[in-house]
Amino acid sequence: MSNRLKSVVSNDLCIGCGLCTNELVQNPRGKLIPTSFRTDVEEIEQFCPGVSQVNHNQWNRTTEKFGSILKAYESYSTDKVIREKGSSGGTITAILVSLLEQNLVDGVYGLCNTHGVSYEGRIISSAAKIVANAGSKYCPSPTLLRAEEIEEYQGRLAIVAKPCEINAIKSMLECKGKKDEHFYISFFCAGLPNYSGTLTLVNDLGGHISSTEDILSVNYRGGGWPGKFIAKTMTGTYEASYEKSWGEYLNQTLPLICKICPDGIGMSADIVCADYWETDKSGYPVFDDKPGKSLLIVRTENGKRVADKVIENNDIGVMPLGIDLESSLEKVQPLQSTRRSTFKYRRIALNLKGISSPQLKGFSYGGTIGLKEKLRAFVGMYLRVDKHVKN
């Protein structure tokens, strides 16, 4: 293992995507890390999200803060089952099902539940399996552990992954000179919690379990919008609101790499979705349960062709956003707006602590902010670093 890759793992900059390895193990913090690599180190460093990240749509940037946007909609699945099961209106699930049924792709690559709170990337060829695996996964989820299946696939895939994973798989295919005709879908991501968040939450709800292996099934969201956290064990079922589960538990276990992320908004994808939050007077999202709504952003011409066909097929309902897109997006995604404006100052704090942040290519710094916001981001990160890099 190179010194750079060692530092990625030891400094909590590994996202646990699985792209570099054949095996991941859980560390004491409750996150997945590689034990060995499946290809040469120099090649890995070209696509590891902890070493470098590339905005593959950088030449199409139409907004400073939210990247390339050809079209943007408020959207939802027209299928009631999918809309109910999805985290925020079921738009991604509806698009994937539509792509398969219209033969616009040959398969779908995305996360599948293997057992309990364990997930792994798999090629999916049935609409039923896509729907069965719908919903948010707020725990370690190595989407790219089977990336060789993408490399070797003869046909066109719709690939669903976190923003950093989309950047990484596109960089890997480019690095290896592979022809890339796949369709990429991502979502707005606020970070990937460790298993410890789920474990602590279930135990505080009365679960009394020793590890997440004792969880038989979990829904982090769904069954409404934003929906409830529901975990089942041998001893019972434990529930919490989204506001409680994410805000008080899961969000507290994010790795350091997520705190300095330049791209929680899927800049390299063809299409990206998010919650279409309604906010109160202070700009904070309102979590009253209601029928789900997605924010749907079309980033590329390829994405536009697909979105148009899915809309024409009446698989999703849409309402176009207004002319002032950046202002509209700031209102429905205030957290991501702030993250895009402040990640620069978190990176500076990390570097001053002697830790190299990932090299970036094609990312803007997301607009101007006041001195108070800059200092809050910088100081918060500077004080937080030691907690993350302790063994």
Side-chain angles (χ1 to χ4, degrees):
M1 185 185 295
S2 73
N3 288 334
R4 184 64 196 274
L5 292 177
K6 282 181 181 178
S7 72
V8 167
V9 175
S10 64
N11 291 327
D12 207 22
L13 298 179
C14 173
I15 194 64
C17 67
L19 186 56
C20 65
T21 187
N22 291 312
E23 183 181 13
L24 293 162
V25 296
Q26 187 176 158
N27 73 0
R29 295 175 184 145
K31 68 179 288 187
L32 297 179
I33 58 172
T35 56
S36 60
F37 298 113
R38 58 177 162 203
T39 186
D40 68 88
V41 169
E42 289 185 4
E43 189 174 74
I44 291 171
E45 290 182 353
Q46 294 184 56
F47 50 75
C48 169
V51 176
S52 64
Q53 295 190 38
V54 178
N55 175 8
H56 292 273
N57 288 331
Q58 59 183 296
W59 312 117
N60 301 325
R61 190 168 69 224
T62 51
T63 68
E64 187 69 17
K65 187 175 289 186
F66 292 98
S68 172
I69 302 177
L70 301 188
K71 287 188 174 183
Y73 304 95
E74 175 187 330
S75 66
Y76 58 90
S77 171
T78 55
D79 184 301
K80 291 183 179 180
V81 173
I82 293 176
R83 188 176 188 181
E84 179 79 5
K85 185 171 175 58
S87 293
S88 53
T91 297
I92 289 180
T93 303
I95 291 173
L96 294 175
V97 170
S98 184
L99 287 173
L100 270 185
E101 293 182 344
Q102 293 192 67
N103 296 315
L104 298 175
V105 296
D106 302 297
V108 169
Y109 184 94
L111 283 172
C112 290
N113 181 248
T114 55
H115 66 276
V117 292
S118 295
Y119 300 89
E120 206 170 88
R122 300 280 175 84
I123 292 177
I124 306 169
S125 56
S126 76
K129 195 167 185 180
I130 291 172
V131 175
N133 285 283
S136 297
K137 287 82 175 170
Y138 294 146
C139 64
S141 46
T143 312
L144 304 179
L145 191 60
R146 293 170 175 259
E148 70 276 5
E149 294 185 8
I150 298 175
E151 284 188 70
E152 299 165 0
Y153 193 78
Q154 300 297 310
R156 190 183 190 207
L157 291 169
I159 299 173
V160 188
K162 295 180 280 295
C164 59
E165 293 169 337
I166 296 287
N167 297 337
I169 192 64
K170 294 183 87 168
S171 291
M172 187 201 75
L173 293 175
E174 184 178 290
C175 174
K176 295 189 173 186
K178 300 286 186 178
K179 190 175 182 181
D180 187 0
E181 296 181 340
H182 303 307
F183 183 76
Y184 293 91
I185 302 179
S186 194
F187 42 85
F188 279 25
C189 176
L192 185 66
N194 295 338
Y195 283 126
S196 58
T198 301
L199 179 63
T200 303
L201 173 56
V202 172
N203 281 333
D204 283 359
L205 292 171
H208 305 298
I209 58 175
S210 58
S211 80
T212 52
E213 292 294 316
D214 297 324
I215 298 175
L216 302 177
S217 67
V218 63
N219 288 324
Y220 286 98
R221 289 179 60 185
W225 181 57
K228 290 183 178 180
F229 169 90
I230 305 174
K232 295 182 180 180
T233 72
M234 291 291 290
T235 58
T237 299
Y238 306 94
E239 300 184 4
S241 68
Y242 170 71
E243 189 170 14
K244 179 182 179 71
S245 63
W246 175 260
E248 298 180 23
Y249 289 87
L250 304 173
N251 185 39
Q252 306 305 310
T253 68
L254 303 181
L256 193 59
I257 184 67
C258 295
K259 301 293 185 180
I260 59 168
C261 178
D263 182 19
I265 59 175
M267 287 190 174
S268 291
D270 294 299
I271 281 177
V272 62
C273 291
D275 285 284
Y276 194 91
W277 293 123
E278 296 174 3
T279 56
D280 59 23
K281 292 180 180 179
S282 64
Y284 190 76
V286 176
F287 297 129
D288 296 338
D289 221 46
K290 60 190 71 175
K293 293 190 293 184
S294 303
L295 168 66
L296 169 60
I297 294 177
V298 178
R299 297 205 180 279
T300 66
E301 288 295 338
N302 194 21
K304 182 177 179 298
R305 284 190 292 271
V306 166
D308 287 347
K309 289 182 179 180
V310 174
I311 293 169
E312 288 170 9
N313 208 47
N314 197 36
D315 292 315
I316 58 174
V318 297
M319 180 179 294
L321 296 193
I323 296 175
D324 189 355
L325 287 178
E326 199 141 32
S327 177
S328 297
L329 295 178
E330 287 173 352
K331 290 177 181 177
V332 299
Q333 278 289 329
L335 172 64
Q336 292 294 352
S337 176
T338 300
R339 283 163 59 90
R340 285 283 298 131
S341 299
T342 57
F343 82 89
K344 173 182 178 180
Y345 307 99
R346 294 191 177 97
R347 284 170 56 87
I348 293 172
L350 187 67
N351 293 339
L352 286 176
K353 279 285 192 176
I355 300 174
S356 297
S357 54
Q359 297 176 353
L360 304 180
K361 182 179 179 181
F363 293 100
S364 69
Y365 283 113
T368 58
I369 57 173
L371 179 60
K372 184 178 179 179
E373 288 77 13
K374 292 176 184 178
L375 287 173
R376 183 185 293 118
F378 173 85
V379 173
M381 173 55 94
Y382 193 85
L383 296 174
R384 187 183 293 121
V385 171
D386 290 341
K387 171 187 173 183
H388 285 266
V389 299
K390 287 180 181 179
N391 293 324

